[in-house]
Amino acid sequence: MQKLFTLALLSLMASSAFAQVSITLDPSDKGITISPTLNGIFYEDINHASDGGIYAELIRNRSFEEIDEWRRRRPFGEDEEWGWMPDEEEDTRIEAWSSVGESELSLITDGLLNDKQGHALSLEIKETGAGVQNTGYWGINAVNGTEYRLSLWVKVLSGNPGALNASLVSGEGETLATVRITDKLGKDWRKVEATMVSKGNDPKAHFELTAEATCKLALDVVSLFPPTYKNRPNGCRPQLAEMLEAMQPKFVRFPGGCFVEGMRTPESAFHWERTVGPIEERPGHQGVNWHYWVSDGMGFHEFLQLAEDLGAKPLYVVNVGIWHGGSDPVEGIDSTWVQECLDALEYANGDVSTKYGKMRADNGHPAPFNIEYLEIGNENANYHFEDDTDQSNRYYERYKKFYEAVKQRYSDMKIIGNTQGWNTDTPSWRSAEPVDILDEHYYRDPSWFAEAYDKYDTYDRKGPQIYAGEYAVTSQFGTVGNLNAALGEAVYMLGIENNSDLVIMNSYAPLFVNENAYNWPTNLIHFDSSEAFGTPSYWVQQLFSTHVGNRLLNQQLEWSLPEAEPLQEDARPFEVGVSTWGTKATFKEPHLYIEGEEVELPDITQWISSQRTPAQREGGPRRIRQRQQWSVDEDEGTASNVGAGEGNKWLCPLELTAKRYSFTVKAKRTWGHEGFLVVFNYKSERDFDWLNVGGWGNTQNSIEQSVDGGRITITEDTPFEVEEDRWYDVRVDVDGDSIAAYVDGELQFETRHRNANMRGIYSNASIDEATNTVYIKVINVGGETTTGTVNLVSGSVASAEMLRLSSGSGQDENTADHPFNILPRPANVDVNTAGTRLSFDVAPFSLNIITAKLR
């Protein structure tokens, strides 16, 4: 492949705080055609993205099915897998519902609305004006002048309720909206519908339904909707959908993610046919992966409708008969999972004369939605094809069945295959089966993404095309996602644009988070019941999607910066220790050598859990906060973890200082699917290193670095399997920022501590040939201020403007209290009289995008 971008590093200017950026550009010197499907969105129901999120329904637990049986995670026992198990005590709460006045609430399972419903609410009204209330999803947003559409199913069990009153009530008890329902009710289920208009504002309002006479009622599917995006019935919250619309996504990948697979049982997986049709005919399901009930109101049809409304192509991800912790036999999936996929495609693409095409028309959309992209599985091509330990059981055999069945019916369908979903920088397709596009996932630190600028330059153009389906900074990102994270991702996206003949699609993950319900630390769009804001990463995605041409332009970038500060070489404080992750191990005979001289260590039985109080760190009495985590055998001189906790450390209580040291210890794995961990360079629970021996399902070794609470892998992983009940000799050598690691005397790694501080200038340019508009992106990932020029070799510019995403520090973020701290803002760009030279400032920590109209 022709190298389109030349980065020339000029002489370093150590004596100056300023640098210079020079871009030479010829608008007639065009490179590759940029993929028209770059910059899409990945949707997964995580962090209450749907219920309590973009799905506009305001009533939580509207069908009374949200019985949260999966609250705590703990091991079942030494001979069983990790997993989720129900609370031991019976929970009598009815999620989000409670009494108003003298009323009694209970769940019933007889005489239900239909066979899709598992529960209804029995409401006994014991005094006039009593009833039931619903809190919504951490409050219902009442907005002055807004009309709300109410529907509910109700029948009389005894007595005569007279009229019902439905209201929105503020947190202070003020009635903001109300409607009196006088429909004649009887002993059979009846659907009641009404509207009410709010006369005030309160993001923490709640819904009330009361009766004017004593009675006993059964209620089900109580629903309240505000106006929706594009006025779609059962539609989306406009505020959040419009933030997606502003991104101009080229595709929407749905419904996940792990959400596709489910956990422990196939019932917790996404089954499209259970998510279409009237809401009272959708049973919902327990989203075990992300620990909350899902109504499936935001179902298959709604995903397709949203994609269409956004002007984006739908990309559907199907389950291959694998869920977290189990799978169906490959031999039987043709009539189940494969057929389910074909039925879904018929619903989306079939003519109205087909069974499922007619179902789509009956649901309000006669024209096909036209799915063009299908992903077979989600992160199902990892390492263990022989079993279910990492969701990979015979993936390629499963893939083949889907591929052949789909291609036979839809020959033009673009098929996307899975690569390794985690723990490798070089994912691959390890099969002879044909595949159109490969899905790669990367969750890393900012500097990894910046260093991946040229990652795709050397990929084989004869192989499948690439979809960067999930990527995000998940280490060293601050609190919810800082500017450093966004700039690292931006550099990676420049590299994608530069190679979009190969990398034809990309999408950040995840998309949404309700501020009251975090399952994942970094997300593009944050919201509560009334407000929403984008992280700096959101604005990077939005800017890239809306400022790209159809052809790349060849350019030459030259820049210089002051000399970088060297990595630390001086002596530093540290501690050493051991740890485990979801498994059990025993350790003995630790030794520490500083500058070649052995340091006397306390016996390992006298070490201490990392979960300790400040007094303990200052030499107070030893006490383990979680006593079940570690046990000691003083006769054998060993320390062992008890249970299968994740990452709790057993640390030597000495705090030492050195530049050069060696730490050795003997370790053996006694139970579980992982090996063991050797801790070094420990400064705090947020800053340490460890050697992971037999990590990722006991398949490989690596060295991980934790900085400010975020872990990154700083080595290419080495295949390795730890045998059970065998002692291993482990050694780590530290020399300043250099690290070497050995197992049984065999060198595993030689690496360096990664410098978390980014620096450098990156740029590219593209042209929209239809409008004769050039887009020039310049990214400064470091803290240096500089100036920039663009020199045109041919042609001239009639006008130019610049947008800048920047802040005073790479650590700065947007938050709910300061949602507009970092936004794209206009910045000055000067054009000379001839229109051949553009001059501008390049701020520190900035993404700068120049839009230039050619004459």
Side-chain angles (χ1 to χ4, degrees), residues 310-327:
L310 294 173
K313 296 178 182 293
L315 189 167
Y316 182 46
V317 185
V318 295
N319 190 309
V320 295
I322 295 176
W323 51 92
H324 290 223
S327 61

Side-chain angles (χ1 to χ4, degrees), residues 657-670:
T657 300
K659 173 187 175 182
R660 187 179 295 110
Y661 68 89
S662 293
F663 175 49
T664 69
V665 67
K666 291 183 181 293
K668 72 174 178 180
R669 163 179 162 260
T670 57

Side-chain angles (χ1 to χ4, degrees), residues 585-589 603-607 622 624 630-642 650 668 727:
T586 299
F587 303 88
K588 68 178 181 179
E589 299 178 21
D603 188 275
I604 197 169
T605 63
Q606 301 302 309
W607 290 15
R622 181 167 65 93
I624 302 172
W630 290 92
S631 68
V632 297
D633 186 326
E634 294 186 357
D635 292 335
E636 295 293 331
T638 62
S640 305
N641 68 312
V642 180
W650 188 246
K668 72 174 178 180
W727 286 105

Side-chain angles (χ1 to χ4, degrees), residues 208-416:
E208 290 188 4
L209 182 71
T210 59
E212 294 182 354
T214 58
C215 62
K216 191 173 185 179
L217 305 174
L219 302 176
D220 208 351
V221 196
V222 182
S223 174
L224 186 69
F225 268 83
T228 61
Y229 180 61
K230 296 189 181 295
N231 297 314
R232 299 295 183 193
N234 199 48
C236 293
R237 175 174 163 179
Q239 182 186 33
L240 298 183
E242 287 164 5
M243 290 185 73
L244 300 186
E245 184 181 86
M247 295 173 68
Q248 296 183 18
K250 306 309 183 294
F251 64 90
V252 178
R253 175 186 170 204
F254 72 93
C258 297
F259 183 80
V260 172
E261 299 158 288
M263 181 182 288
R264 294 193 65 209
T265 73
E267 293 302 307
S268 66
F270 179 83
H271 295 278
W272 76 270
E273 69 280 5
R274 304 178 190 179
T275 74
V276 296
I279 60 175
E280 64 268 19
E281 295 180 7
R282 305 187 190 190
H285 73 281
Q286 182 69 29
V288 184
N289 300 76
W290 304 121
H291 330 320
Y292 56 86
W293 179 265
V294 179
S295 75
D296 285 325
M298 185 75 185
F300 187 61
H301 187 100
E302 286 74 27
F303 283 123
L304 293 166
Q305 185 66 71
L306 176 62
E308 181 179 87
D309 288 343
L310 294 173
K313 296 178 182 293
L315 189 167
Y316 182 46
V317 185
V318 295
N319 190 309
V320 295
I322 295 176
W323 51 92
H324 290 223
S327 61
D328 278 336
V330 173
E331 292 73 18
I333 66 172
D334 300 81
S335 61
T336 54
W337 298 97
V338 174
Q339 189 59 51
E340 184 174 305
C341 169
L342 294 175
D343 293 346
L345 293 177
E346 183 175 287
Y347 183 95
N349 295 7
D351 185 83
V352 293
S353 63
T354 65
K355 175 182 177 180
Y356 293 108
K358 180 180 183 302
M359 181 186 290
R360 181 195 65 243
D362 292 343
N363 289 333
H365 200 284
F369 284 112
N370 295 319
I371 290 178
E372 300 176 32
Y373 295 88
L374 180 77
E375 181 160 2
I376 299 175
N378 172 72
E379 295 185 339
N380 294 138
N382 297 305
Y383 307 99
H384 289 284
F385 296 129
E386 74 282 1
D387 58 32
D388 298 318
T389 55
D390 63 0
Q391 299 96 247
S392 301
N393 183 294
R394 299 169 67 183
Y395 170 71
Y396 291 117
E397 296 175 58
R398 297 169 187 271
Y399 169 88
K400 181 179 181 180
K401 289 177 177 286
F402 278 84
Y403 182 92
E404 291 176 349
V406 171
K407 284 287 190 177
Q408 182 177 0
R409 216 179 270 193
Y410 305 96
S411 59
D412 294 333
M413 186 74 65
K414 297 295 184 183
I415 301 295
I416 302 171

Side-chain angles (χ1 to χ4, degrees), residues 610-626:
S610 61
Q611 297 188 0
R612 50 191 168 160
T613 67
Q616 292 165 350
R617 290 186 59 82
E618 294 170 2
R622 181 167 65 93
R623 179 177 63 84
I624 302 172
R625 180 188 294 175
Q626 295 185 354

